[in-house]
């Protein structure tokens, strides 16, 4: 049975080009880039080449503004915890109610240690209440962390407007761009963004590598101490094969941006329209205009999303009900609850997220199987 993978916001397959680029650093070029001898030192130029490729994808003015980490979660922790601890108290930490746990977690960590925390609402389309943001940033020095694009709905937030508001009142602005990098164009050097997180495995690099953009002049205290690596911002010998892989993945993502926003978006739209046409009682969650080109989140009234996923899985189709980091929880999505999605629909939501590796045949397979599954579950539902 062929696997149809439409869960690319959870993770992506490693690109062939990435794997090939990593291999020499798992075999012959295994030296420590900090070594004084040639055998180790020769590796350092490959780390710096990867840094330049990451900087190019996000539009950083200087590659030295890129710090390599182990993942997007570490990047978010370094930005929020390290950023807050580098600023004097009192400090107001501002975020939204629809952030990934990798952002809400460190925000609550700071709240437990005496920092004031505010979580902003979103409306029924998942768009941020920027009026409330204005009120909060006026109340004192702040560190604001708002995601660039939501991992469950794909809704894109106005990061330029948010950053301008935060800066107007002297605050620092971080954005979790894990889902946005490589899917939409960005140029941080021209945006009021102080820190930006990204993750390798969301853009066809391996799991275990990420990066944090830190605009020159932004103060951050390191979370990992004990070494000089990454200009003192993150101790520990560099994960050279994965860093090289991330660099190649960023290079590929930059070359495929137009494909993401043309072919992938067209497949997403055909999938979405096909589901809405074939499955009465279904609805798209989130702002349909300001959305990542690869993501759709659809609710089906009166049936459980987990049941849909299990029946899709039996047919070789991989999707999700939301964040993979919240899998196993019986609670409905905090994102959809914040959007006030009706109770009849909030438990029956499915996220489909595509990549450039998907094909029209994948979309056909979902459109063939999903309506039959929805109809069968409705026949069994005591609520219909």
């Amino acid at each position: 049975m062929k696997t149809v993978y439409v869960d690319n916001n959870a993770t992506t397959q490693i690109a062939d080009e990435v794997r090939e680029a990593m291999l020499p650093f798992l075999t012959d070029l295994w030296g420590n880039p900090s070594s004084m001898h040639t055998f180790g030192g020769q590796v350092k130029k490959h780390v710096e080449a990867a840094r330049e490729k990451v900087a190019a994808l996000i539009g950083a003015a200087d590659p030295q503004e890129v710090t390599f980490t182990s993942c997007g979660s570490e990047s978010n922790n370094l930005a929020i915890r390290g950023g807050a601890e580098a600023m004097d108290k009192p400090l107001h930490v501002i975020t939204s109610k629809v952030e990934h746990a990798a952002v809400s977690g460190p925000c609550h960590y700071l709240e437990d240690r005496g920092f004031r925390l505010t979580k902003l609402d979103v409306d029924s389309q998942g768009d941020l209440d920027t009026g409330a943001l204005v009120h909060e940033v006026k109340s004192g020095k702040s560190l604001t962390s708002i995601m660039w694009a939501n991992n469950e709905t794909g809704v894109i937030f106005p990061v330029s407007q948010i950053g301008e508001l935060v800066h107007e009142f002297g605050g620092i602005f971080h954005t979790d761009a894990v889902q946005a990098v490589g899917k939409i164009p960005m140029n941080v050097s021209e945006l009021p963004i102080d820190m930006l997180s990204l993750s390798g495995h969301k853009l066809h690099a391996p799991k275990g590598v990420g990066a944090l953009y830190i605009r020159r002049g932004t103060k951050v205290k390191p979370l990992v101490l004990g070494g000089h690596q990454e200009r003192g911002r993150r101790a520990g010998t560099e994960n050279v094969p994965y860093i090289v892989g991330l660099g190649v993945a960023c290079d590929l993502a930059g070359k495929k941006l137009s494909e993401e926003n043309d072919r992938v978006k067209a497949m997403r739209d055909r999938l979405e329209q096909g589901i809405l046409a074939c499955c009465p009682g279904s609805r798209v969650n989130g702002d349909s205009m300001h959305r990542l080109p690869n993501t759709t989140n659809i609710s089906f009234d009166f049936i459980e999303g987990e049941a849909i996923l299990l029946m899709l899985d039996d047919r070789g189709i991989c999707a999700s009900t939301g964040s993979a980091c919240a899998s196993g929880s019986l609670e409905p999505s905090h994102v959809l609850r914040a959007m006030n999605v009706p109770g009849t629909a909030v438990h029956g939501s499915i996220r489909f997220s595509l990549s450039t590796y998907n094909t029209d045949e994948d979309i056909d397979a979902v459109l063939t199987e999903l309506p039959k599954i929805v109809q069968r579950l409705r026949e069994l539902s005591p609520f219909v």
Side-chain angles (χ1 to χ4, degrees), residues 152 280-285 297-306 308 321 332-333 335-337 339-351 378 381 383:
E152 295 191 24
S282 58
R283 50 174 285 170
V284 174
N285 297 312
N297 186 305
I298 301 179
S299 284
F300 302 89
D301 284 342
F302 304 117
I303 55 178
E304 293 288 338
E306 285 78 5
I308 299 172
T321 54
S333 157
V335 175
L336 300 186
R337 280 185 290 151
M339 294 165 60
N340 289 317
V341 172
T344 55
V346 72
H347 288 278
S349 65
I350 301 292
R351 179 186 68 185
R378 290 248 172 83
S381 173
F383 305 108

Side-chain angles (χ1 to χ4, degrees), residues 35-92:
S35 295
M36 292 296 291
H37 49 69
T38 302
F39 180 71
Q42 65 180 325
V43 174
K44 185 173 179 60
K45 65 182 180 184
H46 298 281
V47 172
E48 296 312 312
R51 201 184 310 276
E52 291 176 4
K53 290 173 181 175
V54 175
L57 179 62
I58 63 174
D62 183 351
Q64 296 306 310
E65 293 175 316
V66 173
T67 295
F68 290 116
T69 65
S70 65
C71 60
S73 294
E74 184 189 334
S75 298
N76 286 332
N77 272 267
L78 178 57
I80 297 167
R81 291 172 54 191
E85 290 173 4
M87 300 171 73
D88 296 330
K89 286 184 179 179
L91 178 67
H92 188 182

Side-chain angles (χ1 to χ4, degrees), residues 64-356:
Q64 296 306 310
E65 293 175 316
V66 173
T67 295
F68 290 116
T69 65
S70 65
C71 60
S73 294
E74 184 189 334
S75 298
N76 286 332
N77 272 267
L78 178 57
I80 297 167
R81 291 172 54 191
E85 290 173 4
M87 300 171 73
D88 296 330
K89 286 184 179 179
L91 178 67
H92 188 182
V93 179
I94 302 171
T95 187
S96 82
K97 293 183 178 178
V98 296
E99 299 296 319
H100 189 280
V103 166
S104 59
C107 287
H108 284 294
Y109 172 91
L110 292 173
E111 182 182 32
D112 291 342
R113 282 151 183 80
F115 291 85
R116 180 184 168 206
L117 174 63
T118 297
K119 299 173 75 172
L120 302 173
D121 289 320
V122 296
D123 63 18
S124 62
Q125 295 300 301
D127 292 317
L128 189 73
D129 183 349
T130 51
L133 174 63
V134 172
H135 174 76
E136 297 298 339
V137 295
K138 283 181 177 178
S139 66
K141 185 175 56 179
S142 68
L143 187 154
T144 299
S145 180
I146 303 289
M147 60 191 358
W148 194 312
N150 188 268
N151 53 306
E152 295 191 24
T153 63
V155 171
I156 295 172
F157 285 166
V159 290
S160 179
Q161 180 187 3
I162 294 168
E164 288 175 2
L165 289 171
V166 172
H167 284 180
E168 182 179 350
F169 296 96
I172 297 294
F173 177 45
H174 162 254
T175 185
D176 174 3
V178 161
Q179 296 293 349
V181 172
K183 298 191 179 90
I184 54 176
M186 58 181 61
N187 188 340
V188 291
S189 67
E190 297 180 352
L191 292 171
I193 293 173
D194 300 298
M195 293 181 282
L196 175 148
S197 301
L198 64 93
S199 175
H201 77 106
K202 306 295 188 183
L203 66 157
H204 305 290
K207 302 166 189 64
V209 64
L212 178 66
Y213 161 79
I214 306 172
R215 183 181 292 276
R216 185 175 293 279
T218 304
K219 294 180 180 178
V220 178
K221 282 195 174 180
L223 301 183
V224 182
L225 305 173
H228 61 85
Q229 293 86 356
E230 297 300 295
R231 299 168 308 288
R233 285 178 166 156
R234 184 185 189 273
T237 304
E238 297 89 342
N239 187 354
V240 176
Y242 285 49
I243 288 172
V244 169
L246 175 60
V248 174
C250 286
D251 199 29
L252 290 171
K255 294 173 181 174
K256 291 186 175 183
L257 270 177
S258 61
E259 184 181 357
E260 281 278 354
N261 289 275
D262 294 332
R263 188 178 70 84
V264 173
K265 181 176 182 297
M267 286 193 295
R268 189 277 310 272
D269 290 348
R270 185 166 78 85
L271 173 66
E272 187 174 279
Q273 292 160 13
I275 292 173
L276 294 177
C278 296
C279 300
S282 58
R283 50 174 285 170
V284 174
N285 297 312
D287 187 332
S288 60
M289 294 297 293
H290 304 103
R291 198 166 39 144
L292 293 175
N294 77 318
T295 306
T296 183
N297 186 305
I298 301 179
S299 284
F300 302 89
D301 284 342
F302 304 117
I303 55 178
E304 293 288 338
E306 285 78 5
I308 299 172
L309 286 187
L310 290 172
M311 294 178 76
L312 285 172
D313 187 48
D314 285 342
R315 292 157 175 78
I317 298 171
C318 308
S320 65
T321 54
S323 170
C325 295
S327 63
S329 171
L330 296 178
E331 293 294 319
S333 157
H334 72 287
V335 175
L336 300 186
R337 280 185 290 151
M339 294 165 60
N340 289 317
V341 172
T344 55
V346 72
H347 288 278
S349 65
I350 301 292
R351 179 186 68 185
F352 299 96
S353 48
L354 313 183
S355 81
T356 55

Side-chain angles (χ1 to χ4, degrees), residues 2-6 270-271 312 315-317 359-373:
K2 179 180 182 293
T3 296
V4 175
Y5 189 82
V6 284
R270 185 166 78 85
L271 173 66
L312 285 172
R315 292 157 175 78
I317 298 171
T359 64
D360 285 331
E361 288 72 26
D362 293 337
I363 306 305
D364 292 338
V366 178
L367 291 177
T368 297
E369 298 299 333
L370 183 63
K372 293 184 288 188
I373 292 171

